[in-house]
Amino acid sequence: MPLHVETPLVASAALGHGDQRVWLKLESLQPSGSFKLRGVGHACEVFAAQGARRLLSSSGGNAGMAVAYAGRALGLPVTVVVPATTSERARALIRGHGAALIVHGASWMEANDHLQTLRGPTDAFVHPFDDALLWRGHATMIHEAATQGPRPEVVVVSVGGGGLLCGVLEGMHACGWTDVPVLAVETVGAASLHAAIAAGQLVTLDAITSIATSLGARRVCAEALAWTTRHPVVSTVVTDAAAIRACVAIADDQRLLIEPACGAAVAAVQAREAAPLHAARDVLVILCGGATVGHRELSALELSAGR
């Protein structure tokens, strides 16, 4: 039985423009707080069936929360390693699901390197974004969206390590949306996909400087870049301030709290600068998560964006 839940698809009157309708897939309503539970839950169930005795995860926050949630549901102990950039709120949420938490390194890559030293023969490593099991689980959100609303003319998705992008594209191809462009959105200071597309090869960023730490993968997964060669994917980048303003707009208009990594996709729709949005009548936006932001955090972010 899947650990994730079916999430609503709702139309946003505030984000719509003229004849354009914007549809929000509310993945922030997953029990762990983000879309990650779809792929992570699927992977954890597979690993448990294969005899895993412990689940290990390296994460900027959301993947760790999803593994911790899944481990508790499956009765398996969980250890999560997060970088120093992971917020205290995210750390508390991971611990709240009963996981052992270790803080190590300045970015996800350093946290992941440390985690690998902890692996034992009966442990299962749950990668936060680079695993076909994850992509298969994430694809289910598109399967749902295809039955809940109209066929979109563009799909808008935030990109960190690329796991969500891979899952969305896998789901789109399974549903026959092979000609629907994807607008892949990153923030300044965390745009590893944008850099890779420009270079024609994977690029490792020197550091993550964006406030959207959930997008903080210094190098996007190879499959995400490969998808850009076999599907119409348009990469765009927004500022941290724009992502934060989008979070505030969603709180005001939809009564939902989302984090800047999620707000990035909304910010791109608000800007309407990317070509795929110009003539699209129906736009599907993956509202990917918000567990790391409470009302206090959003208020603080709003103040910082206003400076």
Side-chain angles (χ1 to χ4, degrees):
M1 180 178 176
L3 299 179
H4 68 266
V5 301
E6 180 174 334
T7 58
L9 181 73
V10 300
S12 170
L15 288 174
H17 180 71
D19 291 335
Q20 186 178 85
R21 296 182 297 180
V22 176
W23 301 86
L24 303 175
K25 184 63 170 160
L26 304 185
E27 287 299 295
S28 57
L29 298 183
Q30 289 294 346
S32 72
S34 82
F35 78 95
K36 293 278 190 180
L37 186 58
R38 289 184 183 270
V40 164
H42 175 61
C44 289
E45 288 189 296
V46 170
F47 294 144
Q50 293 173 346
R53 303 293 297 274
R54 181 174 67 155
L55 302 173
L56 301 180
S57 174
S58 52
S59 169
N62 285 312
M65 285 179 245
V67 176
Y69 177 91
R72 186 169 68 173
L74 296 169
L76 291 175
V78 174
T79 296
V80 179
V81 181
V82 301
T85 53
T86 297
S87 69
E88 289 297 332
R89 177 180 173 84
R91 297 180 197 185
L93 289 168
I94 292 170
R95 292 190 185 101
H97 287 303
L101 183 76
I102 299 170
V103 180
H104 184 90
S107 74
W108 171 80
M109 292 182 74
E110 286 83 4
N112 186 58
D113 287 344
H114 180 68
L115 179 73
Q116 302 310 315
T117 69
L118 306 178
R119 294 179 67 175
T122 61
D123 294 334
F125 170 50
V126 186
H127 200 288
F129 55 84
D130 194 2
D131 190 321
L133 289 173
L134 299 178
W135 308 332
R136 193 169 307 133
H138 297 336
T140 59
M141 74 181 72
I142 301 300
H143 302 162
E144 289 176 9
T147 68
Q148 294 171 318
R151 188 181 194 270
E153 292 172 11
V154 61
V155 177
V156 186
V157 58
S158 296
V159 176
L164 175 58
L165 177 65
C166 291
V168 164
L169 285 163
E170 183 173 317
M172 289 173 65
H173 278 242
C175 292
W177 296 359
T178 56
D179 59 336
V180 177
V182 170
L183 184 59
V185 189
E186 296 169 286
T187 51
V188 175
S192 55
L193 176 65
H194 194 75
I197 292 173
Q201 61 183 9
L202 293 176
V203 172
T204 301
L205 303 179
D206 292 335
I208 298 298
T209 58
S210 171
I211 198 171
T213 55
S214 294
L215 301 183
R218 289 170 51 205
R219 184 174 62 242
V220 76
C221 68
E223 183 67 6
L225 182 60
W227 266 114
T228 68
T229 67
R230 59 181 189 260
H231 187 94
V233 176
V234 176
S235 172
T236 192
V237 179
V238 301
T239 65
D240 279 351
I244 293 167
R245 288 193 295 269
C247 293
V248 175
I250 290 295
D252 289 342
D253 301 331
Q254 303 295 327
R255 286 79 61 196
L256 293 172
L257 293 175
I258 62 170
E259 59 198 60
C262 181
V266 178
V269 174
Q270 290 175 317
R272 295 187 174 85
E273 295 175 354
L277 294 170
H278 294 168
R281 177 175 174 81
D282 287 293
V283 177
L284 172 60
V285 180
I286 307 301
L287 212 65
C288 56
T292 64
V293 171
H295 68 90
R296 293 183 182 86
E297 289 81 8
L298 183 57
S299 296
L301 288 170
E302 185 177 14
L303 284 173
S304 70
R307 294 195 182 110

